[in-house]
Amino acid sequence: MAFPDNRANNAKRLKKAVKNTKENFNEAEQYLDEHADEISSCERANIEAKNENRKESIAGMKSEIQDEEQFQQRQE
């Protein structure tokens, strides 16, 4: 049985996901800064690629947050 679409807390969940993703991004940047001379170029490239994906994810989630907030305003 399918559950009805409950969008009441979507914006809140997305904001938490953005916060967590930003924290992961910052931790990876800090790791690169502290260990740049100890890691391989391949590992560095992987971390940088992940951070690029994180940037894109954050942008997408922020757009979704706006959509969800607009939806909630229309429901009030």
Side-chain angles (χ1 to χ4, degrees), residues 1-7:
M1 177 167 118
F3 292 101
D5 186 19
N6 180 2
R7 295 174 65 174

Side-chain angles (χ1 to χ4, degrees), residues 40-61:
S40 69
S41 60
C42 182
E43 183 178 359
R44 180 180 194 77
N46 287 338
I47 293 170
E48 289 172 347
K50 285 182 182 181
N51 269 0
E52 280 303 312
N53 290 340
R54 288 178 176 124
K55 285 181 189 178
E56 293 172 11
S57 293
I58 289 169
M61 287 186 281

